[in-house]
Amino acid sequence: MAAYSLDLRTRVVRACDSGMPAATVAARFDVSLAWVYRLMQRRRDTGSIAPRKQTKFRGRALSGDEEVRLVTLITARPDATLAELQHALPTRAALSTLWRTIDRLGLTVKKNGTRRRAATA
């Protein structure tokens, strides 16, 4: 969700500064009461009413080339374990990361082929 515009923020601050109760300001500008309180607190603490900078999350652990190589490895040997795939890539990504990537790509890793179950001798 995008941050509220600076114009709206300015109008809300002016309304609060004019002595209007925060609940009335929230109803008038169709924003939440908590947001009005947070905006006023932000102005008290930092002196600014501008929105905070968006947090940038970490990117994917596997690059696009590594994902393509992973698909190739799984296609060639669908019975390979995650540890074998990790060693064959080679990557520092954890086994759980490999599993999430395989799941996101819609691939499956089978230890035994179809109808080739381990049986007693």
PDB file of all heavy atoms in Angstrom, residues 17-47:
ATOM      1  N   ASP A  17      -3.352  21.291  14.339  1.00  0.00           N
ATOM      2  CA  ASP A  17      -2.774  22.498  14.934  1.00  0.00           C
ATOM      3  C   ASP A  17      -3.827  23.569  15.199  1.00  0.00           C
ATOM      4  O   ASP A  17      -3.647  24.410  16.080  1.00  0.00           O
ATOM      5  CB  ASP A  17      -1.684  23.065  14.024  1.00  0.00           C
ATOM      6  CG  ASP A  17      -0.418  22.222  14.027  1.00  0.00           C
ATOM      7  OD1 ASP A  17      -0.281  21.367  14.934  1.00  0.00           O
ATOM      8  OD2 ASP A  17       0.418  22.392  13.112  1.00  0.00           O
ATOM      9  N   SER A  18      -4.909  23.534  14.454  1.00  0.00           N
ATOM     10  CA  SER A  18      -5.964  24.536  14.655  1.00  0.00           C
ATOM     11  C   SER A  18      -6.823  24.227  15.871  1.00  0.00           C
ATOM     12  O   SER A  18      -7.714  25.005  16.212  1.00  0.00           O
ATOM     13  CB  SER A  18      -6.844  24.648  13.407  1.00  0.00           C
ATOM     14  OG  SER A  18      -7.636  23.478  13.265  1.00  0.00           O
ATOM     15  N   GLY A  19      -6.580  23.105  16.516  1.00  0.00           N
ATOM     16  CA  GLY A  19      -7.302  22.767  17.727  1.00  0.00           C
ATOM     17  C   GLY A  19      -8.406  21.753  17.540  1.00  0.00           C
ATOM     18  O   GLY A  19      -9.118  21.408  18.485  1.00  0.00           O
ATOM     19  N   MET A  20      -8.568  21.238  16.345  1.00  0.00           N
ATOM     20  CA  MET A  20      -9.600  20.242  16.074  1.00  0.00           C
ATOM     21  C   MET A  20      -9.199  18.919  16.733  1.00  0.00           C
ATOM     22  O   MET A  20      -8.034  18.522  16.670  1.00  0.00           O
ATOM     23  CB  MET A  20      -9.733  20.063  14.555  1.00  0.00           C
ATOM     24  CG  MET A  20     -10.941  19.254  14.126  1.00  0.00           C
ATOM     25  SD  MET A  20     -11.024  19.062  12.320  1.00  0.00           S
ATOM     26  CE  MET A  20     -11.315  20.743  11.800  1.00  0.00           C
ATOM     27  N   PRO A  21     -10.123  18.226  17.394  1.00  0.00           N
ATOM     28  CA  PRO A  21      -9.787  16.935  18.013  1.00  0.00           C
ATOM     29  C   PRO A  21      -9.344  15.912  16.971  1.00  0.00           C
ATOM     30  O   PRO A  21      -9.798  15.919  15.823  1.00  0.00           O
ATOM     31  CB  PRO A  21     -11.093  16.489  18.672  1.00  0.00           C
ATOM     32  CG  PRO A  21     -11.931  17.705  18.758  1.00  0.00           C
ATOM     33  CD  PRO A  21     -11.504  18.628  17.662  1.00  0.00           C
ATOM     34  N   ALA A  22      -8.461  15.021  17.380  1.00  0.00           N
ATOM     35  CA  ALA A  22      -7.890  14.045  16.453  1.00  0.00           C
ATOM     36  C   ALA A  22      -8.963  13.143  15.849  1.00  0.00           C
ATOM     37  O   ALA A  22      -8.894  12.781  14.673  1.00  0.00           O
ATOM     38  CB  ALA A  22      -6.840  13.207  17.164  1.00  0.00           C
ATOM     39  N   ALA A  23      -9.975  12.773  16.623  1.00  0.00           N
ATOM     40  CA  ALA A  23     -11.043  11.922  16.105  1.00  0.00           C
ATOM     41  C   ALA A  23     -11.814  12.633  14.990  1.00  0.00           C
ATOM     42  O   ALA A  23     -12.185  12.019  13.980  1.00  0.00           O
ATOM     43  CB  ALA A  23     -11.991  11.521  17.227  1.00  0.00           C
ATOM     44  N   THR A  24     -12.034  13.905  15.142  1.00  0.00           N
ATOM     45  CA  THR A  24     -12.734  14.686  14.115  1.00  0.00           C
ATOM     46  C   THR A  24     -11.870  14.799  12.860  1.00  0.00           C
ATOM     47  O   THR A  24     -12.377  14.707  11.731  1.00  0.00           O
ATOM     48  CB  THR A  24     -13.082  16.087  14.653  1.00  0.00           C
ATOM     49  OG1 THR A  24     -13.760  15.952  15.893  1.00  0.00           O
ATOM     50  CG2 THR A  24     -13.947  16.850  13.683  1.00  0.00           C
ATOM     51  N   VAL A  25     -10.575  15.024  13.055  1.00  0.00           N
ATOM     52  CA  VAL A  25      -9.648  15.117  11.918  1.00  0.00           C
ATOM     53  C   VAL A  25      -9.647  13.801  11.150  1.00  0.00           C
ATOM     54  O   VAL A  25      -9.718  13.788   9.922  1.00  0.00           O
ATOM     55  CB  VAL A  25      -8.226  15.468  12.403  1.00  0.00           C
ATOM     56  CG1 VAL A  25      -7.232  15.367  11.268  1.00  0.00           C
ATOM     57  CG2 VAL A  25      -8.197  16.858  13.012  1.00  0.00           C
ATOM     58  N   ALA A  26      -9.602  12.684  11.869  1.00  0.00           N
ATOM     59  CA  ALA A  26      -9.589  11.371  11.222  1.00  0.00           C
ATOM     60  C   ALA A  26     -10.861  11.153  10.413  1.00  0.00           C
ATOM     61  O   ALA A  26     -10.811  10.658   9.284  1.00  0.00           O
ATOM     62  CB  ALA A  26      -9.427  10.275  12.274  1.00  0.00           C
ATOM     63  N   ALA A  27     -11.992  11.510  10.973  1.00  0.00           N
ATOM     64  CA  ALA A  27     -13.263  11.340  10.263  1.00  0.00           C
ATOM     65  C   ALA A  27     -13.344  12.277   9.055  1.00  0.00           C
ATOM     66  O   ALA A  27     -13.832  11.879   7.993  1.00  0.00           O
ATOM     67  CB  ALA A  27     -14.423  11.602  11.211  1.00  0.00           C
ATOM     68  N   ARG A  28     -12.866  13.500   9.211  1.00  0.00           N
ATOM     69  CA  ARG A  28     -12.954  14.482   8.135  1.00  0.00           C
ATOM     70  C   ARG A  28     -12.108  14.080   6.925  1.00  0.00           C
ATOM     71  O   ARG A  28     -12.532  14.239   5.783  1.00  0.00           O
ATOM     72  CB  ARG A  28     -12.497  15.843   8.648  1.00  0.00           C
ATOM     73  CG  ARG A  28     -12.523  16.918   7.607  1.00  0.00           C
ATOM     74  CD  ARG A  28     -12.131  18.252   8.182  1.00  0.00           C
ATOM     75  NE  ARG A  28     -12.044  19.246   7.143  1.00  0.00           N
ATOM     76  CZ  ARG A  28     -11.488  20.422   7.289  1.00  0.00           C
ATOM     77  NH1 ARG A  28     -10.997  20.766   8.465  1.00  0.00           N
ATOM     78  NH2 ARG A  28     -11.441  21.256   6.307  1.00  0.00           N
ATOM     79  N   PHE A  29     -10.917  13.566   7.169  1.00  0.00           N
ATOM     80  CA  PHE A  29     -10.010  13.213   6.068  1.00  0.00           C
ATOM     81  C   PHE A  29     -10.046  11.726   5.720  1.00  0.00           C
ATOM     82  O   PHE A  29      -9.259  11.267   4.891  1.00  0.00           O
ATOM     83  CB  PHE A  29      -8.582  13.643   6.413  1.00  0.00           C
ATOM     84  CG  PHE A  29      -8.421  15.137   6.472  1.00  0.00           C
ATOM     85  CD1 PHE A  29      -8.330  15.785   7.690  1.00  0.00           C
ATOM     86  CD2 PHE A  29      -8.386  15.894   5.316  1.00  0.00           C
ATOM     87  CE1 PHE A  29      -8.187  17.158   7.759  1.00  0.00           C
ATOM     88  CE2 PHE A  29      -8.242  17.266   5.368  1.00  0.00           C
ATOM     89  CZ  PHE A  29      -8.149  17.908   6.587  1.00  0.00           C
ATOM     90  N   ASP A  30     -10.931  10.979   6.364  1.00  0.00           N
ATOM     91  CA  ASP A  30     -11.120   9.552   6.088  1.00  0.00           C
ATOM     92  C   ASP A  30      -9.819   8.758   6.257  1.00  0.00           C
ATOM     93  O   ASP A  30      -9.412   7.982   5.387  1.00  0.00           O
ATOM     94  CB  ASP A  30     -11.693   9.352   4.686  1.00  0.00           C
ATOM     95  CG  ASP A  30     -12.298   7.963   4.514  1.00  0.00           C
ATOM     96  OD1 ASP A  30     -12.743   7.395   5.525  1.00  0.00           O
ATOM     97  OD2 ASP A  30     -12.295   7.452   3.381  1.00  0.00           O
ATOM     98  N   VAL A  31      -9.163   8.987   7.388  1.00  0.00           N
ATOM     99  CA  VAL A  31      -7.972   8.227   7.771  1.00  0.00           C
ATOM    100  C   VAL A  31      -8.221   7.661   9.163  1.00  0.00           C
ATOM    101  O   VAL A  31      -9.172   8.048   9.842  1.00  0.00           O
ATOM    102  CB  VAL A  31      -6.697   9.107   7.760  1.00  0.00           C
ATOM    103  CG1 VAL A  31      -6.367   9.566   6.354  1.00  0.00           C
ATOM    104  CG2 VAL A  31      -6.827  10.276   8.703  1.00  0.00           C
ATOM    105  N   SER A  32      -7.355   6.763   9.598  1.00  0.00           N
ATOM    106  CA  SER A  32      -7.562   6.185  10.926  1.00  0.00           C
ATOM    107  C   SER A  32      -7.059   7.133  12.012  1.00  0.00           C
ATOM    108  O   SER A  32      -6.151   7.941  11.796  1.00  0.00           O
ATOM    109  CB  SER A  32      -6.843   4.838  11.044  1.00  0.00           C
ATOM    110  OG  SER A  32      -5.448   5.033  11.095  1.00  0.00           O
ATOM    111  N   LEU A  33      -7.658   7.003  13.159  1.00  0.00           N
ATOM    112  CA  LEU A  33      -7.265   7.814  14.307  1.00  0.00           C
ATOM    113  C   LEU A  33      -5.820   7.512  14.699  1.00  0.00           C
ATOM    114  O   LEU A  33      -5.049   8.420  15.031  1.00  0.00           O
ATOM    115  CB  LEU A  33      -8.212   7.543  15.480  1.00  0.00           C
ATOM    116  CG  LEU A  33      -7.991   8.334  16.757  1.00  0.00           C
ATOM    117  CD1 LEU A  33      -8.123   9.828  16.504  1.00  0.00           C
ATOM    118  CD2 LEU A  33      -8.994   7.893  17.817  1.00  0.00           C
ATOM    119  N   ALA A  34      -5.446   6.232  14.650  1.00  0.00           N
ATOM    120  CA  ALA A  34      -4.067   5.847  14.990  1.00  0.00           C
ATOM    121  C   ALA A  34      -3.068   6.507  14.051  1.00  0.00           C
ATOM    122  O   ALA A  34      -1.984   6.925  14.473  1.00  0.00           O
ATOM    123  CB  ALA A  34      -3.930   4.331  14.936  1.00  0.00           C
ATOM    124  N   TRP A  35      -3.418   6.634  12.757  1.00  0.00           N
ATOM    125  CA  TRP A  35      -2.511   7.262  11.811  1.00  0.00           C
ATOM    126  C   TRP A  35      -2.324   8.736  12.139  1.00  0.00           C
ATOM    127  O   TRP A  35      -1.219   9.261  12.030  1.00  0.00           O
ATOM    128  CB  TRP A  35      -3.029   7.094  10.379  1.00  0.00           C
ATOM    129  CG  TRP A  35      -2.091   7.685   9.368  1.00  0.00           C
ATOM    130  CD1 TRP A  35      -0.953   7.134   8.891  1.00  0.00           C
ATOM    131  CD2 TRP A  35      -2.208   8.961   8.745  1.00  0.00           C
ATOM    132  NE1 TRP A  35      -0.350   7.976   7.992  1.00  0.00           N
ATOM    133  CE2 TRP A  35      -1.100   9.107   7.889  1.00  0.00           C
ATOM    134  CE3 TRP A  35      -3.130   9.996   8.818  1.00  0.00           C
ATOM    135  CZ2 TRP A  35      -0.904  10.259   7.113  1.00  0.00           C
ATOM    136  CZ3 TRP A  35      -2.942  11.128   8.041  1.00  0.00           C
ATOM    137  CH2 TRP A  35      -1.834  11.252   7.206  1.00  0.00           C
ATOM    138  N   VAL A  36      -3.395   9.402  12.546  1.00  0.00           N
ATOM    139  CA  VAL A  36      -3.290  10.815  12.926  1.00  0.00           C
ATOM    140  C   VAL A  36      -2.345  10.954  14.120  1.00  0.00           C
ATOM    141  O   VAL A  36      -1.459  11.814  14.133  1.00  0.00           O
ATOM    142  CB  VAL A  36      -4.683  11.410  13.267  1.00  0.00           C
ATOM    143  CG1 VAL A  36      -4.553  12.827  13.820  1.00  0.00           C
ATOM    144  CG2 VAL A  36      -5.575  11.395  12.040  1.00  0.00           C
ATOM    145  N   TYR A  37      -2.503  10.083  15.124  1.00  0.00           N
ATOM    146  CA  TYR A  37      -1.613  10.131  16.287  1.00  0.00           C
ATOM    147  C   TYR A  37      -0.164   9.848  15.898  1.00  0.00           C
ATOM    148  O   TYR A  37       0.762  10.514  16.362  1.00  0.00           O
ATOM    149  CB  TYR A  37      -2.063   9.127  17.358  1.00  0.00           C
ATOM    150  CG  TYR A  37      -3.290   9.560  18.119  1.00  0.00           C
ATOM    151  CD1 TYR A  37      -4.343   8.687  18.325  1.00  0.00           C
ATOM    152  CD2 TYR A  37      -3.395  10.831  18.651  1.00  0.00           C
ATOM    153  CE1 TYR A  37      -5.459   9.056  19.033  1.00  0.00           C
ATOM    154  CE2 TYR A  37      -4.513  11.227  19.359  1.00  0.00           C
ATOM    155  CZ  TYR A  37      -5.545  10.338  19.557  1.00  0.00           C
ATOM    156  OH  TYR A  37      -6.655  10.734  20.266  1.00  0.00           O
ATOM    157  N   ARG A  38       0.040   8.856  15.030  1.00  0.00           N
ATOM    158  CA  ARG A  38       1.409   8.526  14.603  1.00  0.00           C
ATOM    159  C   ARG A  38       2.041   9.671  13.815  1.00  0.00           C
ATOM    160  O   ARG A  38       3.235   9.957  13.961  1.00  0.00           O
ATOM    161  CB  ARG A  38       1.418   7.256  13.758  1.00  0.00           C
ATOM    162  CG  ARG A  38       1.329   5.980  14.563  1.00  0.00           C
ATOM    163  CD  ARG A  38       1.689   4.769  13.723  1.00  0.00           C
ATOM    164  NE  ARG A  38       0.965   4.686  12.475  1.00  0.00           N
ATOM    165  CZ  ARG A  38      -0.172   4.019  12.292  1.00  0.00           C
ATOM    166  NH1 ARG A  38      -0.729   3.372  13.282  1.00  0.00           N
ATOM    167  NH2 ARG A  38      -0.758   4.000  11.109  1.00  0.00           N
ATOM    168  N   LEU A  39       1.241  10.341  12.982  1.00  0.00           N
ATOM    169  CA  LEU A  39       1.751  11.469  12.209  1.00  0.00           C
ATOM    170  C   LEU A  39       2.181  12.605  13.120  1.00  0.00           C
ATOM    171  O   LEU A  39       3.260  13.184  12.952  1.00  0.00           O
ATOM    172  CB  LEU A  39       0.692  11.953  11.210  1.00  0.00           C
ATOM    173  CG  LEU A  39       1.105  13.122  10.321  1.00  0.00           C
ATOM    174  CD1 LEU A  39       2.243  12.698   9.398  1.00  0.00           C
ATOM    175  CD2 LEU A  39      -0.085  13.610   9.512  1.00  0.00           C
ATOM    176  N   MET A  40       1.368  12.896  14.104  1.00  0.00           N
ATOM    177  CA  MET A  40       1.706  13.978  15.035  1.00  0.00           C
ATOM    178  C   MET A  40       2.933  13.605  15.882  1.00  0.00           C
ATOM    179  O   MET A  40       3.794  14.446  16.154  1.00  0.00           O
ATOM    180  CB  MET A  40       0.514  14.309  15.931  1.00  0.00           C
ATOM    181  CG  MET A  40      -0.711  14.801  15.163  1.00  0.00           C
ATOM    182  SD  MET A  40      -0.360  16.141  14.008  1.00  0.00           S
ATOM    183  CE  MET A  40      -0.042  17.464  15.145  1.00  0.00           C
ATOM    184  N   GLN A  41       3.021  12.346  16.270  1.00  0.00           N
ATOM    185  CA  GLN A  41       4.179  11.895  17.038  1.00  0.00           C
ATOM    186  C   GLN A  41       5.445  11.953  16.177  1.00  0.00           C
ATOM    187  O   GLN A  41       6.507  12.355  16.658  1.00  0.00           O
ATOM    188  CB  GLN A  41       3.970  10.476  17.547  1.00  0.00           C
ATOM    189  CG  GLN A  41       5.133   9.960  18.364  1.00  0.00           C
ATOM    190  CD  GLN A  41       4.911   8.556  18.862  1.00  0.00           C
ATOM    191  OE1 GLN A  41       3.939   7.896  18.474  1.00  0.00           O
ATOM    192  NE2 GLN A  41       5.801   8.084  19.701  1.00  0.00           N
ATOM    193  N   ARG A  42       5.316  11.590  14.917  1.00  0.00           N
ATOM    194  CA  ARG A  42       6.472  11.653  14.015  1.00  0.00           C
ATOM    195  C   ARG A  42       6.956  13.086  13.878  1.00  0.00           C
ATOM    196  O   ARG A  42       8.162  13.348  13.866  1.00  0.00           O
ATOM    197  CB  ARG A  42       6.088  11.080  12.657  1.00  0.00           C
ATOM    198  CG  ARG A  42       7.215  11.108  11.651  1.00  0.00           C
ATOM    199  CD  ARG A  42       6.869  10.275  10.434  1.00  0.00           C
ATOM    200  NE  ARG A  42       7.829  10.440   9.386  1.00  0.00           N
ATOM    201  CZ  ARG A  42       9.026   9.900   9.366  1.00  0.00           C
ATOM    202  NH1 ARG A  42       9.414   9.164  10.370  1.00  0.00           N
ATOM    203  NH2 ARG A  42       9.847  10.097   8.358  1.00  0.00           N
ATOM    204  N   ARG A  43       6.035  14.029  13.784  1.00  0.00           N
ATOM    205  CA  ARG A  43       6.433  15.434  13.674  1.00  0.00           C
ATOM    206  C   ARG A  43       7.119  15.902  14.952  1.00  0.00           C
ATOM    207  O   ARG A  43       8.108  16.620  14.908  1.00  0.00           O
ATOM    208  CB  ARG A  43       5.223  16.320  13.382  1.00  0.00           C
ATOM    209  CG  ARG A  43       5.648  17.763  13.107  1.00  0.00           C
ATOM    210  CD  ARG A  43       4.507  18.632  12.799  1.00  0.00           C
ATOM    211  NE  ARG A  43       3.744  18.880  14.015  1.00  0.00           N
ATOM    212  CZ  ARG A  43       2.851  19.836  14.144  1.00  0.00           C
ATOM    213  NH1 ARG A  43       2.574  20.619  13.142  1.00  0.00           N
ATOM    214  NH2 ARG A  43       2.201  19.996  15.270  1.00  0.00           N
ATOM    215  N   ARG A  44       6.600  15.456  16.115  1.00  0.00           N
ATOM    216  CA  ARG A  44       7.241  15.828  17.387  1.00  0.00           C
ATOM    217  C   ARG A  44       8.653  15.249  17.487  1.00  0.00           C
ATOM    218  O   ARG A  44       9.576  15.915  17.934  1.00  0.00           O
ATOM    219  CB  ARG A  44       6.424  15.298  18.567  1.00  0.00           C
ATOM    220  CG  ARG A  44       5.346  16.211  19.061  1.00  0.00           C
ATOM    221  CD  ARG A  44       4.812  15.776  20.418  1.00  0.00           C
ATOM    222  NE  ARG A  44       4.534  14.355  20.539  1.00  0.00           N
ATOM    223  CZ  ARG A  44       3.387  13.764  20.216  1.00  0.00           C
ATOM    224  NH1 ARG A  44       2.398  14.487  19.727  1.00  0.00           N
ATOM    225  NH2 ARG A  44       3.218  12.475  20.372  1.00  0.00           N
ATOM    226  N   ASP A  45       8.808  13.985  17.074  1.00  0.00           N
ATOM    227  CA  ASP A  45      10.090  13.303  17.238  1.00  0.00           C
ATOM    228  C   ASP A  45      11.139  13.735  16.228  1.00  0.00           C
ATOM    229  O   ASP A  45      12.311  13.918  16.583  1.00  0.00           O
ATOM    230  CB  ASP A  45       9.901  11.787  17.138  1.00  0.00           C
ATOM    231  CG  ASP A  45       9.096  11.221  18.286  1.00  0.00           C
ATOM    232  OD1 ASP A  45       8.915  11.936  19.304  1.00  0.00           O
ATOM    233  OD2 ASP A  45       8.629  10.059  18.174  1.00  0.00           O
ATOM    234  N   THR A  46      10.745  13.868  14.952  1.00  0.00           N
ATOM    235  CA  THR A  46      11.727  14.122  13.898  1.00  0.00           C
ATOM    236  C   THR A  46      11.609  15.507  13.276  1.00  0.00           C
ATOM    237  O   THR A  46      12.529  15.938  12.587  1.00  0.00           O
ATOM    238  CB  THR A  46      11.584  13.087  12.764  1.00  0.00           C
ATOM    239  OG1 THR A  46      10.324  13.267  12.129  1.00  0.00           O
ATOM    240  CG2 THR A  46      11.728  11.677  13.295  1.00  0.00           C
ATOM    241  N   GLY A  47      10.475  16.151  13.461  1.00  0.00           N
ATOM    242  CA  GLY A  47      10.275  17.446  12.835  1.00  0.00           C
ATOM    243  C   GLY A  47       9.822  17.341  11.392  1.00  0.00           C
ATOM    244  O   GLY A  47       9.692  18.349  10.701  1.00  0.00           O
TER     245      GLY A  47
END
